Each structure stands twice: as C-alpha cells, then as structure tokens.
Amino acid sequence: MKWKLTIRYLISILSIVFIVSIVNTVILIALLLSQHNEDPEDIIHDTGENFTRAFYHNLSIEDGEPVVSEEGKDALARFGAWLQILDENGNVISDEYAPDSAATHYTPVELVHKYKYMDNDFNTYFIGEYEGYSYIVGVPDSKQQRTIIMADPQQVFTYISQFLGAIVIVDLIIAVIVGFLFSTVLTKPVSRIIERISELKERKFQPKKMKRPGVFKRVFANLNDVSETLQAHENERQKLEQMRNEWISNVSHDIKTPLASIRGYAELLRNDEISPEERLEYAEVIERQSLYMKELLDDFNLTMRLRNQDMSLNLQETRVEGFVRKIIIDLLNDPQFQTHDIDFNSSAPELTWEIDQHLMKRALLNFILNALIHNDEDVKVTVEVTENSIIIRDNGRGIRKEEQTQIFDRYYRGTNTTSRGTGLGLAISRDIIQAHGGKVEMKSEVGKGTMFKIRMK
C-alpha cells in the first residue's frame, strides 16, 4: 500500500512538472512570435531608430536641395542628436549640430560600418532616406547600443529545442528526487493511518503513538481517541454480555424452580385422595409461582422497551405528595409489609410533576421494595418529598463501594442479598425516571444504609 501511494504521488508530481514545462515553452514561443510580428514602433517608443525613420517629416526640398525645418531642429535639440544630409555620392551637403570631427564624405562601406558600430567619440549612428538623399542622425553617448548577431535560424532552432528539452529533463529529474523524498514523508503516515483503520476494523483498539506524524498529528490523535472510545464500548459490551449471560443463567434457574413446583403440585392435584384444603393450598402455590414467572417476563419486556425507547408515556400533571403517600399506604396495607417500619415526610405539598403515574409508581415501588426486601426485617425506610425531589433512604446494610457503579446495570444482583430477584428492578426504575427527563442519585455506606434521590428537570 505504501509503495502504491508513493508511485501515484510521484506520477502526479511528474505530470504537473511536464505540463508546466510544456505550457511555459508554448508561452515563450508565443511571446517570441508576437514580438517578431509586432511593428517596432508599437513596441519601443522614442528610440533612435524610430526618431530617424520619422525625421523625414521635418525635411523639405528648396531650390533643389533638402532643408531642415525649424520643428526638425527643435526635435534634434530635444533628442540630443545631430544631422548630416548626404547626396547620392556620399558627400555631406548640409548638417545641423554636427561636431567638427564628423566626416564630410562617406563611402557605402563606411556607412555600413557607422550603422553597425559606435565610433571613437561614442556616437551611435542611424540612417534614413528622403527624396533620393540620405541623412545620418548621430546620437552622442546614447544609452541605446546596437549589437549585431549572426546566426543560422535552423541551428538556433536546434539549440533552443535542445535547451528546452534539457530543461524538461532536468525538471523531471529534480521532481522525481524531491517528489520521492516528500512522498515518502507524506505517504508513510497515510499508510499508517490506513493500517490503524484496518486494526480498528479487526477490533484492535490499543492506542499507538506515531513517530513523526507531521501534518497528520491531529489525525493520529483522533484515531487514538476513537480507539479508546471503542475499547471502552467493547469493555462495556463484554461486561454487559457477561452479566446478561449470568442473568439468563440465574433466570433459567429461577424459572426452573417455579416450573418444578407448578408441575409437582399439578401432579398432586390429580390425586383423588387429597382433601379440599390440600387442593386449595396446592392451587395457591401454583398461582403464586405463575405470578412470579409473569413478573419475571414483564420485567424483561419492560426493560427491553425502555432500553430501545419504545415506551410511550401517558403524562399527567400530578401532585407529588399525594401520589407518594398513596403508594406508601397501599404498600402498608399489603399483609407482607404491614409490620415494616416505613415513614413518610413532605415539605413541599404544592410540588407537581408531569409523569406517567403507572410507570412512576413502578419505579418508586422498586426503590422502596429494594430497601425492604434486601435488608433485615427491622430496617427503617423513610420516604421524603422535598421542594425538587423524592428521597428514599434506609438504615440497612448499605452497598459496598465497588458495587455502587453496577447497581443500576441490567441483570446485576448485589452480593449482599439472598433474596430472589430478576436483577432488573433498579435498572427499570432508573430507565423510567430518565424517560421522564429526570435523574437518580445514589449514596450508600456499608452498615449505615442507602439513599436514592429522584429529581426532575
């Protein structure tokens, strides 16, 4: 994978360099052609060449000889030049501002030499023609210099082609070297990122530190964060899976016991020799065991619906004090709990919550029954309604600190209880309260009891 990324990156770099070289070559050739086709007067203004070519407008023929106009003389003065007019034999017939050292006769060879090169006085010569006469414009100390280059066009084209080819080759070589070094630095972390994603796919969640992550430092940091999160979820899943398996094992055992009782007593009911009192007692046992199995299945169904948020709430505006007092009265009227010590206090008679009364009753009963069933018979349970909460506390055995984080987990059964239960009661209560938008707080200390505080947002 790493070499594939490196090769692809190199190909992209080489393609860019090649395209840029071609584009630059085309632009260079286009500029050369455009300059070659342009009229020099459109490219460079105020040059000696242009001045000389246009100077004929300042000449006229008077009495058969050329004469310089006043405008022409002013133009020569402004340009810093001097002028000589030659006849067809190369003799100077008139001049303007010409130095004393200027020649009075020019041969064709001398004219060509003057045009090509400066003289010893650093004059640059320009030559024009007017009505059969020639004229020389000399510019002393001109910043413009004429350079003569002799070249074979075909050979120049060959040299240019070789030069451009060499540039392209050198650019490609440099691009290969730089691209290889840079792509190695770039693709190594990319390859490692792909490997880390593959490891996450294979459920390998151990965070790893990358040496020289470069610009991908934050990417690796985020991958490590994802690894830690997934590892936490995996640990939670395994923990939940273990508890679920233990719960299934416990529930299977719990179901077998009432089923065995139901089956045994059902077989006894077939005996015609049993008395009516015994028949009634056996029927009550069967009914009691059936109700326990129904409760177990109802709890399982309810917790699944709450967990999947598939429980619709029938919300009603409810006065909390009266609602809680009625629950406690009903509980004390139950023969099973008539002898238990349950106190009720309220400091907020006007407190109202919008709740599903059936589900909230189930949640509160779970907390209260949890305190009654999983403690000794002399336990004291206090239920209190405050300005913003319901508090349920007992002075029982308490819950060990290492178990407190699991007390609301589904399928969990505390080690301090010998009572039969589904392990879903507190989890169901917590889920019901959270479904109402509330939360549950718990505090417990071994030997001093447990406190649950229920609040609504």
Side-chain angles (χ1 to χ4, degrees), residues 385-404:
V385 176
T386 67
E387 292 183 358
N388 58 0
S389 66
I390 300 174
I391 299 174
I392 302 169
R393 62 166 59 92
D394 64 69
N395 61 351
R397 301 170 185 169
I399 303 170
R400 293 191 300 178
K401 188 174 183 180
E402 58 269 21
E403 293 183 346
Q404 291 181 16

Side-chain angles (χ1 to χ4, degrees), residues 161-186:
S161 300
Q162 293 175 351
F163 176 73
L164 293 177
I167 290 178
V168 171
I169 293 173
V170 171
D171 288 347
L172 291 176
I173 293 173
I174 295 174
V176 168
I177 296 173
V178 175
F180 179 78
L181 296 176
F182 185 71
S183 61
T184 301
V185 175
L186 181 66

